[in-house]
Amino acid sequence: MYLCGKIKSEYYISKNMVIEQQITGAIIAGIKELYGVDVSANQIQLQKTKKEFKGHLTLVVFPFLRASKKSPEQTAQEIGEYLQKNEPAVSEFNVIKGFLNLTVAGPCWIDLLNTVNVQPSYGIIPVTDQSPLVMIEYSSPNTNKPLHLGHVRNNLLGYSLSEIMKANGNKVVKTNIVNDRGIHICKSMLAWQKWGNGVTPESSGKKGDHLIGDFYVLFDKHYKQELKELEAKGLTKEEAEAQSSLMAEAREMLRKWEAGDTEVRALWEKMNNWVYAGFDETYKMMGVDFDKIYYESQTYLEGKGKVMEGLEKGIFYRREDGSVWADLTKDGLDEKLLLRADGTSVYMTQDIGTAKLRFDDYPINKMIYVVGNEQNYHFQVLSILLDKLGFEFGKGLVHFSYGMVELPEGKMKSREGTVVDADDLMEEMISTAHEISQELGKLDEMTPEEAANISRVVGLGSLKYFILKVDPRKNMTFNPKESIDFNGNTGPFIQYTYARICSVLRKAAEQGIVLPEQLPVNTPISEKEEGLIQMIADYAVTVKEAGKEYSPAYIANYIYDLVKEYNQFYHDFSILREENAEIKQFRLVLSANVAKIVKSGMSLLGIEVPERM
């Protein structure tokens, strides 16, 4: 009778963990019997067999040569023979130099598929009352302009990371810190006052964030013209900047804001509310959200308070001009300004204040900041300062540092109005998806509403997948044309495969085929099908690794590899036309579980998958 270790129903199985544990135990017993030496499980190096070789798992035998006193090939051959004779999970083996390639018996794979099949949320660890709380900050927009392509990467990474951390059994709080104060905000306000003629989002028909962004660009245009005129009178660039009446007005407006001037504050509040309404529309279309939003106008005073507290405790020091500094030379860094001589705060002060409010609001176990890599040093300093000030998450805070994103045409500049607007980009992606889908006949027989929804799902899925499949630490170029392709490593390719599986399962249901929870373990399956089961089971460890490395790219590329493998299987094997009823059921269950994992993985990326396409 066949005996394959019964796989327990767990929330996740790390790389076919039960099969590996069973074979690892047999290897330990074999080395003891063959060579009289005790080895630990840590010394057993089992890895996935490379595609060019036959087998599922490969044992590295070099650590056992001292015990065997034989060549790598001889040692591998002897261990292989022992396993084939004594371990039912091993059906075959082959030796390539010092590597023993093991073929796992078919019934073990059916057992593994049965285990995955009965778990609707396979690979996802449930959140409990005892789960640690992870706070993730992302987006961090300014209220003087709409969200752009750089924000798109930030938001998509932050949202996906939140879902991945949740899938790893953490409570997650998604937060946003809005930069709603400062000289840049006053520039937009002043431009609206001077040249806006009372225009509003309603009267202009523009989203509020776009309208305010136009005035930010307009300020820069007039400012540059003023500098040009001053320089034409013989002033240097520095002298012209110092004498700019426009910049002086902006600074005066900021002074009034900080002094609580009612008129300036009312204008600031009105214009910011226009922007927030615009942001909300963009976030909704992008499919991201937040549990708590903080505003720098509310945090910078808290930061000042914490800095003064640190000053009193001797953590910081004051210079002769009245400015407050942190001396981090003992930490291998330099000295950091925290309060200017005039008492105004810097970004670091605001981040300390925001941390205080967050720590007051939530029992944070880990804090993750999703911010571009140009701020690496800033967060290195922030971590040390928060630790010195007594924040428990300070020393262990994570700066999820990601690279910049550009278009093939090059960099973007907000002041010059050359940014790629997030709203325009998403609309363009949806429009392009509609055109391509129509050309390929994928919208045939759909109502206009269904076609519009599919275009939205495919367009946004293309954008999200193209950005998230890249290692977040790397700079990247986003190419809209490349992203919308129904072949290759793209969102639409994955979405279309999911829809194809759904179609197969619908047809099976129409034929009255009911999928069982448990398949007979003696169902004959091919190597290709064994490989697919192994890949499905790998989802659990992929989710775990993505959380450990803070990388949605792990999920994206795993899903692509799974879908690519499934498409080869779909091309080579019959499913609904298979005459053997048992094999047909197996292939339908296999397909259903591929679809389940694809849907789960894509949801961790914030990507929808359509059932019809």
Side-chain angles (χ1 to χ4, degrees), residues 454-495:
I454 288 295
S455 299
R456 179 190 63 80
V457 169
V458 172
L460 294 178
S462 303
L463 170 66
K464 293 179 180 183
Y465 184 83
F466 198 92
I467 285 176
L468 293 174
K469 73 178 182 179
V470 178
D471 180 343
R473 291 178 289 272
K474 294 180 179 177
N475 291 342
M476 68 170 292
T477 300
F478 173 67
N479 191 322
K481 291 176 184 175
E482 281 183 23
S483 72
I484 302 184
D485 191 335
F486 284 85
N487 296 296
N489 191 1
T490 65
F493 173 66
I494 294 168
Q495 289 171 322

Side-chain angles (χ1 to χ4, degrees), residues 519-552:
L519 293 160
V521 293
N522 57 358
T523 304
I525 61 175
S526 66
E527 283 186 31
K528 173 70 74 177
E529 290 161 331
E530 290 171 351
L532 260 178
I533 296 171
Q534 189 172 19
M535 288 189 79
I536 289 169
D538 282 352
Y539 179 58
V541 76
T542 304
V543 172
K544 191 175 182 182
E545 284 297 306
K548 181 182 173 186
E549 298 297 326
Y550 307 113
S551 179

Side-chain angles (χ1 to χ4, degrees), residues 549-566:
E549 298 297 326
Y550 307 113
S551 179
Y554 278 63
I555 303 290
N557 290 290
Y558 161 81
I559 293 295
Y560 168 66
D561 288 341
L562 176 63
V563 163
K564 186 171 65 172
E565 199 71 19
Y566 179 83

Side-chain angles (χ1 to χ4, degrees), residues 398-441:
V398 175
H399 173 208
F400 178 32
S401 172
Y402 64 89
M404 296 297 99
V405 57
E406 298 173 5
L407 286 176
E409 294 77 22
K411 292 185 178 180
M412 308 169 292
K413 295 181 182 177
S414 301
R415 289 189 300 274
E416 296 173 10
T418 59
V419 296
V420 179
D421 179 80
D423 295 315
D424 293 343
L425 177 62
M426 289 190 287
E427 283 179 23
E428 184 64 29
M429 293 297 295
I430 293 168
S431 175
T432 304
H434 185 86
E435 289 171 18
I436 293 175
S437 299
Q438 207 162 32
E439 286 172 14
L440 296 173

Side-chain angles (χ1 to χ4, degrees), residues 377-412:
Y377 180 76
H378 176 89
F379 283 98
Q380 191 180 359
V381 172
L382 180 62
S383 175
I384 294 170
L385 294 181
L386 291 178
D387 183 55
K388 288 179 184 291
L389 288 167
F391 291 97
E392 290 177 25
F393 64 79
K395 191 174 287 184
L397 76 77
V398 175
H399 173 208
F400 178 32
S401 172
Y402 64 89
M404 296 297 99
V405 57
E406 298 173 5
L407 286 176
E409 294 77 22
K411 292 185 178 180
M412 308 169 292

Side-chain angles (χ1 to χ4, degrees), residues 88-116:
V90 176
S91 61
E92 296 177 55
F93 74 91
N94 65 83
V95 175
I96 307 291
K97 297 183 178 176
F99 300 93
L100 172 61
N101 299 321
L102 305 171
T103 299
V104 177
C108 280
W109 296 119
I110 299 290
D111 259 351
L112 185 54
L113 180 59
N114 282 337
T115 300
V116 175

